[in-house]
Amino acid sequence: SETYTCANASVAYLTQRLVLSAPAGATVDFTLRIGAPKIEKYPFATSLVLPPVGSPAQATRAAERFITPRFSPVTTLSKMLRGRTAPGIGTISQNLFQVDDGTSNNRFSILRNLDRSLSLRAYIANSSVLNINFGVVADNTDFALAFRAAANDVAVSFNGGAVVTDTSFAMPPGLIYERLGHAVTSNEWFGTIRDNHEFPTLLSNTKLQALSAQV
C-alpha cells in the first residue's frame, strides 16, 4: 500500500496505473496477478471493495459493520480488547465495542471521544446510567484494555494502568446484539481490532491490569 499527498490544491481526480520497464533487448518472463486495486481518501481506509460489473469501473458501499447476535440477553461481561486507533478522527466519536437491544435505547459501549479519550458508556431507555473516562489514546496508536461489567460492579484497566471502578451501575436490559467497530447506525471505529476476547467469569482487578498490559 502507498500513501500520497497531492501538493496541488486544485487536483480533483486520481487514478492508478502500473508501469513496467526493462532494458532494451532483454528477455523477461513474469506473471502478473492483479485483483481489485482501490484508492480511498486518507485517513479512513477500509477493506476490499469488490469491483463492479460493467462500466464505469467504480463502486461505493455502506460502512462495514460486524454484528454478532446473542442467544440470551447479556447480564454480565468480561472482555479484553486490543487494537490500533485510526490515523484521525472526524466529527463524531468512534465506537470500539457495543452490546445493545437492537436500538440505541439500551446499550453498553466503549467510545473514543473527539478529545481522544476512551470511555465506558451505558444507557437505559436512552438515559445515561454510566460514563467513565479511563484513558487517552493518540491517533495511529496501539492500545489494550480489559473490563468487567455487572450490576453495581464495573471496572476497567487501560494499558496496564490503575483500575477505574463504578459500584452504582445497573446493566441495561435486553442486550442481545454485540457490535464491533460501530454503534447501531454510525460511529465507525475506522481503526483496527486485533483481539476481542470474552471471558466466562467476571475478572478480578489484578487480572484486568495484567490483560490490559499486553499492548
Side-chain angles (χ1 to χ4, degrees), residues 7-46:
N8 190 329
S10 65
V11 170
Y13 300 95
L14 292 174
T15 188
Q16 302 176 94
R17 67 177 181 172
L18 178 65
V19 179
L20 303 174
S21 62
T27 299
V28 295
D29 182 4
F30 60 89
T31 301
L32 296 178
R33 293 184 177 90
I34 301 173
K38 66 190 182 102
I39 299 176
E40 291 188 279
K41 187 177 180 180
Y42 181 88
F44 300 134
T46 60

Short mmCIF file of all heavy atoms in Angstrom, two decimals, residues 7-46:
data_model
loop_
_atom_site.label_atom_id
_atom_site.label_comp_id
_atom_site.label_asym_id
_atom_site.label_seq_id
_atom_site.Cartn_x
_atom_site.Cartn_y
_atom_site.Cartn_z
N ALA A 7 0.17 17.83 -3.78
CA ALA A 7 0.72 19.15 -3.44
C ALA A 7 -0.11 20.27 -4.05
O ALA A 7 -0.07 21.41 -3.58
CB ALA A 7 2.17 19.24 -3.92
N ASN A 8 -0.83 19.97 -5.11
CA ASN A 8 -1.62 20.98 -5.80
C ASN A 8 -3.06 20.92 -5.31
O ASN A 8 -3.75 19.91 -5.48
CB ASN A 8 -1.56 20.75 -7.31
CG ASN A 8 -2.16 21.90 -8.11
OD1 ASN A 8 -3.08 22.56 -7.66
ND2 ASN A 8 -1.62 22.12 -9.30
N ALA A 9 -3.55 21.99 -4.71
CA ALA A 9 -4.88 22.01 -4.13
C ALA A 9 -5.99 21.89 -5.16
O ALA A 9 -7.14 21.61 -4.82
CB ALA A 9 -5.07 23.28 -3.31
N SER A 10 -5.68 22.10 -6.44
CA SER A 10 -6.70 22.05 -7.48
C SER A 10 -6.93 20.64 -8.02
O SER A 10 -7.81 20.44 -8.86
CB SER A 10 -6.34 22.98 -8.64
OG SER A 10 -5.15 22.52 -9.28
N VAL A 11 -6.18 19.66 -7.54
CA VAL A 11 -6.36 18.28 -8.01
C VAL A 11 -7.76 17.80 -7.63
O VAL A 11 -8.18 17.91 -6.48
CB VAL A 11 -5.30 17.35 -7.38
CG1 VAL A 11 -5.64 15.89 -7.66
CG2 VAL A 11 -3.92 17.67 -7.95
N ALA A 12 -8.47 17.27 -8.60
CA ALA A 12 -9.84 16.80 -8.38
C ALA A 12 -10.01 15.31 -8.59
O ALA A 12 -10.96 14.71 -8.09
CB ALA A 12 -10.80 17.56 -9.29
N TYR A 13 -9.11 14.66 -9.33
CA TYR A 13 -9.25 13.24 -9.64
C TYR A 13 -7.90 12.56 -9.53
O TYR A 13 -6.86 13.15 -9.82
CB TYR A 13 -9.81 13.03 -11.05
CG TYR A 13 -11.16 13.65 -11.27
CD1 TYR A 13 -11.27 14.91 -11.82
CD2 TYR A 13 -12.32 12.97 -10.91
CE1 TYR A 13 -12.52 15.50 -12.01
CE2 TYR A 13 -13.57 13.53 -11.10
CZ TYR A 13 -13.67 14.80 -11.66
OH TYR A 13 -14.89 15.37 -11.84
N LEU A 14 -7.93 11.27 -9.14
CA LEU A 14 -6.73 10.43 -9.10
C LEU A 14 -7.02 9.13 -9.81
O LEU A 14 -8.16 8.66 -9.85
CB LEU A 14 -6.33 10.13 -7.65
CG LEU A 14 -5.82 11.29 -6.79
CD1 LEU A 14 -5.61 10.82 -5.36
CD2 LEU A 14 -4.53 11.85 -7.36
N THR A 15 -5.98 8.52 -10.37
CA THR A 15 -6.12 7.20 -10.97
C THR A 15 -4.89 6.37 -10.64
O THR A 15 -3.89 6.89 -10.15
CB THR A 15 -6.29 7.31 -12.50
OG1 THR A 15 -6.61 6.01 -13.02
CG2 THR A 15 -5.03 7.83 -13.17
N GLN A 16 -4.98 5.08 -10.87
CA GLN A 16 -3.86 4.17 -10.61
C GLN A 16 -3.35 3.61 -11.92
O GLN A 16 -4.12 3.39 -12.86
CB GLN A 16 -4.33 3.00 -9.73
CG GLN A 16 -4.90 3.41 -8.40
CD GLN A 16 -5.42 2.21 -7.65
OE1 GLN A 16 -4.72 1.63 -6.83
NE2 GLN A 16 -6.66 1.83 -7.92
N ARG A 17 -2.05 3.34 -11.98
CA ARG A 17 -1.50 2.64 -13.13
C ARG A 17 -0.26 1.88 -12.70
O ARG A 17 0.40 2.22 -11.72
CB ARG A 17 -1.16 3.61 -14.27
CG ARG A 17 -0.04 4.57 -13.99
CD ARG A 17 0.26 5.43 -15.22
NE ARG A 17 1.36 6.36 -14.98
CZ ARG A 17 1.91 7.10 -15.93
NH1 ARG A 17 1.48 7.02 -17.17
NH2 ARG A 17 2.90 7.92 -15.64
N LEU A 18 0.05 0.84 -13.45
CA LEU A 18 1.22 0.00 -13.21
C LEU A 18 2.19 0.19 -14.36
O LEU A 18 1.81 0.01 -15.52
CB LEU A 18 0.80 -1.47 -13.10
CG LEU A 18 1.92 -2.48 -12.88
CD1 LEU A 18 2.60 -2.26 -11.53
CD2 LEU A 18 1.37 -3.90 -12.97
N VAL A 19 3.41 0.58 -14.07
CA VAL A 19 4.43 0.83 -15.10
C VAL A 19 5.55 -0.18 -14.93
O VAL A 19 6.12 -0.33 -13.85
CB VAL A 19 4.99 2.26 -14.99
CG1 VAL A 19 6.06 2.48 -16.05
CG2 VAL A 19 3.87 3.29 -15.13
N LEU A 20 5.86 -0.92 -16.00
CA LEU A 20 6.94 -1.90 -16.00
C LEU A 20 8.00 -1.48 -17.02
O LEU A 20 7.66 -0.99 -18.11
CB LEU A 20 6.41 -3.29 -16.38
CG LEU A 20 5.29 -3.85 -15.50
CD1 LEU A 20 4.77 -5.16 -16.09
CD2 LEU A 20 5.80 -4.07 -14.08
N SER A 21 9.25 -1.65 -16.68
CA SER A 21 10.31 -1.30 -17.62
C SER A 21 11.40 -2.37 -17.60
O SER A 21 11.59 -3.05 -16.59
CB SER A 21 10.92 0.07 -17.27
OG SER A 21 11.50 0.05 -15.99
N ALA A 22 12.09 -2.51 -18.73
CA ALA A 22 13.19 -3.48 -18.85
C ALA A 22 14.20 -2.92 -19.85
O ALA A 22 13.83 -2.15 -20.74
CB ALA A 22 12.67 -4.83 -19.31
N PRO A 23 15.47 -3.29 -19.71
CA PRO A 23 16.48 -2.81 -20.68
C PRO A 23 16.14 -3.26 -22.10
O PRO A 23 15.55 -4.32 -22.30
CB PRO A 23 17.77 -3.46 -20.18
CG PRO A 23 17.51 -3.79 -18.74
CD PRO A 23 16.06 -4.12 -18.65
N ALA A 24 16.53 -2.46 -23.06
CA ALA A 24 16.28 -2.80 -24.47
C ALA A 24 16.91 -4.14 -24.81
O ALA A 24 18.07 -4.40 -24.47
CB ALA A 24 16.84 -1.70 -25.37
N GLY A 25 16.14 -5.02 -25.45
CA GLY A 25 16.65 -6.31 -25.88
C GLY A 25 16.64 -7.39 -24.82
O GLY A 25 17.01 -8.53 -25.10
N ALA A 26 16.26 -7.04 -23.59
CA ALA A 26 16.26 -8.03 -22.51
C ALA A 26 15.12 -9.03 -22.69
O ALA A 26 14.05 -8.69 -23.22
CB ALA A 26 16.14 -7.34 -21.16
N THR A 27 15.36 -10.26 -22.25
CA THR A 27 14.31 -11.27 -22.24
C THR A 27 13.72 -11.34 -20.84
O THR A 27 14.45 -11.51 -19.85
CB THR A 27 14.89 -12.64 -22.63
OG1 THR A 27 15.42 -12.57 -23.95
CG2 THR A 27 13.79 -13.71 -22.58
N VAL A 28 12.42 -11.19 -20.75
CA VAL A 28 11.77 -11.21 -19.43
C VAL A 28 10.66 -12.25 -19.44
O VAL A 28 10.05 -12.53 -20.47
CB VAL A 28 11.18 -9.82 -19.07
CG1 VAL A 28 12.29 -8.79 -18.91
CG2 VAL A 28 10.18 -9.36 -20.11
N ASP A 29 10.41 -12.84 -18.29
CA ASP A 29 9.37 -13.85 -18.14
C ASP A 29 8.72 -13.62 -16.78
O ASP A 29 9.34 -13.86 -15.74
CB ASP A 29 9.97 -15.25 -18.24
CG ASP A 29 8.89 -16.33 -18.13
OD1 ASP A 29 7.69 -15.98 -18.06
OD2 ASP A 29 9.26 -17.52 -18.10
N PHE A 30 7.51 -13.15 -16.77
CA PHE A 30 6.86 -12.87 -15.49
C PHE A 30 5.35 -13.02 -15.61
O PHE A 30 4.80 -13.04 -16.72
CB PHE A 30 7.21 -11.46 -14.99
CG PHE A 30 6.78 -10.36 -15.94
CD1 PHE A 30 5.52 -9.78 -15.83
CD2 PHE A 30 7.66 -9.88 -16.92
CE1 PHE A 30 5.14 -8.76 -16.69
CE2 PHE A 30 7.28 -8.87 -17.77
CZ PHE A 30 6.01 -8.30 -17.66
N THR A 31 4.70 -13.16 -14.48
CA THR A 31 3.25 -13.28 -14.40
C THR A 31 2.72 -12.20 -13.47
O THR A 31 3.27 -11.99 -12.39
CB THR A 31 2.83 -14.66 -13.86
OG1 THR A 31 3.35 -15.68 -14.73
CG2 THR A 31 1.31 -14.78 -13.78
N LEU A 32 1.67 -11.53 -13.88
CA LEU A 32 1.02 -10.52 -13.04
C LEU A 32 -0.34 -11.04 -12.61
O LEU A 32 -1.12 -11.53 -13.42
CB LEU A 32 0.84 -9.21 -13.81
CG LEU A 32 2.11 -8.47 -14.23
CD1 LEU A 32 1.73 -7.22 -15.02
CD2 LEU A 32 2.94 -8.09 -13.02
N ARG A 33 -0.62 -10.92 -11.34
CA ARG A 33 -1.95 -11.23 -10.82
C ARG A 33 -2.43 -9.98 -10.07
O ARG A 33 -1.90 -9.65 -9.02
CB ARG A 33 -1.92 -12.44 -9.90
CG ARG A 33 -1.57 -13.73 -10.61
CD ARG A 33 -1.65 -14.93 -9.67
NE ARG A 33 -1.39 -16.18 -10.37
CZ ARG A 33 -0.18 -16.73 -10.51
NH1 ARG A 33 0.87 -16.12 -9.99
NH2 ARG A 33 -0.02 -17.86 -11.16
N ILE A 34 -3.40 -9.32 -10.61
CA ILE A 34 -3.88 -8.05 -10.05
C ILE A 34 -5.35 -8.23 -9.67
O ILE A 34 -6.16 -8.65 -10.49
CB ILE A 34 -3.73 -6.89 -11.05
CG1 ILE A 34 -2.24 -6.75 -11.43
CG2 ILE A 34 -4.27 -5.60 -10.47
CD1 ILE A 34 -2.00 -5.74 -12.53
N GLY A 35 -5.68 -7.90 -8.44
CA GLY A 35 -7.06 -8.04 -8.01
C GLY A 35 -7.56 -6.83 -7.26
O GLY A 35 -7.03 -6.48 -6.20
N ALA A 36 -8.56 -6.19 -7.82
CA ALA A 36 -9.34 -5.15 -7.13
C ALA A 36 -8.50 -4.06 -6.47
O ALA A 36 -8.62 -3.82 -5.27
CB ALA A 36 -10.26 -5.81 -6.10
N PRO A 37 -7.66 -3.38 -7.22
CA PRO A 37 -6.96 -2.23 -6.62
C PRO A 37 -7.96 -1.12 -6.30
O PRO A 37 -9.02 -1.03 -6.92
CB PRO A 37 -5.99 -1.79 -7.72
CG PRO A 37 -6.65 -2.23 -8.99
CD PRO A 37 -7.35 -3.52 -8.65
N LYS A 38 -7.65 -0.28 -5.33
CA LYS A 38 -8.58 0.80 -4.98
C LYS A 38 -7.83 1.97 -4.39
O LYS A 38 -6.71 1.85 -3.89
CB LYS A 38 -9.66 0.32 -4.02
CG LYS A 38 -9.18 -0.08 -2.63
CD LYS A 38 -10.32 -0.75 -1.86
CE LYS A 38 -9.87 -1.13 -0.45
NZ LYS A 38 -10.35 -0.22 0.56
N ILE A 39 -8.46 3.12 -4.45
CA ILE A 39 -7.95 4.35 -3.85
C ILE A 39 -9.02 4.87 -2.90
O ILE A 39 -10.19 4.92 -3.25
CB ILE A 39 -7.65 5.43 -4.91
CG1 ILE A 39 -6.58 4.95 -5.89
CG2 ILE A 39 -7.22 6.73 -4.25
CD1 ILE A 39 -6.32 5.93 -7.01
N GLU A 40 -8.61 5.25 -1.68
CA GLU A 40 -9.54 5.85 -0.74
C GLU A 40 -8.91 7.08 -0.10
O GLU A 40 -7.69 7.15 0.06
CB GLU A 40 -9.93 4.86 0.36
CG GLU A 40 -10.79 3.71 -0.15
CD GLU A 40 -11.30 2.87 1.00
OE1 GLU A 40 -10.54 2.01 1.47
OE2 GLU A 40 -12.45 3.05 1.41
N LYS A 41 -9.74 8.01 0.26
CA LYS A 41 -9.26 9.24 0.87
C LYS A 41 -8.75 8.96 2.28
O LYS A 41 -9.44 8.35 3.09
CB LYS A 41 -10.37 10.29 0.90
CG LYS A 41 -9.89 11.65 1.38
CD LYS A 41 -11.03 12.68 1.30
CE LYS A 41 -10.56 14.04 1.79
NZ LYS A 41 -11.65 15.05 1.74
N TYR A 42 -7.54 9.41 2.58
CA TYR A 42 -6.94 9.29 3.91
C TYR A 42 -7.79 10.07 4.90
O TYR A 42 -8.34 11.12 4.56
CB TYR A 42 -5.52 9.87 3.84
CG TYR A 42 -4.72 9.82 5.11
CD1 TYR A 42 -3.95 8.71 5.41
CD2 TYR A 42 -4.75 10.87 6.00
CE1 TYR A 42 -3.20 8.67 6.57
CE2 TYR A 42 -4.00 10.84 7.16
CZ TYR A 42 -3.23 9.73 7.45
OH TYR A 42 -2.50 9.69 8.60
N PRO A 43 -7.96 9.65 6.16
CA PRO A 43 -7.22 8.54 6.78
C PRO A 43 -8.03 7.27 6.95
O PRO A 43 -7.61 6.38 7.68
CB PRO A 43 -6.89 9.13 8.15
CG PRO A 43 -8.13 9.91 8.49
CD PRO A 43 -8.61 10.49 7.18
N PHE A 44 -9.20 7.14 6.35
CA PHE A 44 -10.09 6.06 6.70
C PHE A 44 -10.14 4.99 5.63
O PHE A 44 -11.10 4.89 4.88
CB PHE A 44 -11.49 6.60 7.00
CG PHE A 44 -11.51 7.58 8.13
CD1 PHE A 44 -12.21 8.76 8.02
CD2 PHE A 44 -10.82 7.33 9.30
CE1 PHE A 44 -12.24 9.67 9.07
CE2 PHE A 44 -10.83 8.23 10.35
CZ PHE A 44 -11.55 9.40 10.24
N ALA A 45 -9.10 4.17 5.54
CA ALA A 45 -9.10 3.05 4.60
C ALA A 45 -10.01 1.95 5.10
O ALA A 45 -10.15 1.73 6.30
CB ALA A 45 -7.68 2.52 4.42
N THR A 46 -10.63 1.23 4.16
CA THR A 46 -11.50 0.12 4.53
C THR A 46 -11.02 -1.13 3.82
O THR A 46 -10.07 -1.10 3.04
CB THR A 46 -12.96 0.42 4.12
OG1 THR A 46 -13.01 0.61 2.70
CG2 THR A 46 -13.48 1.67 4.80
#
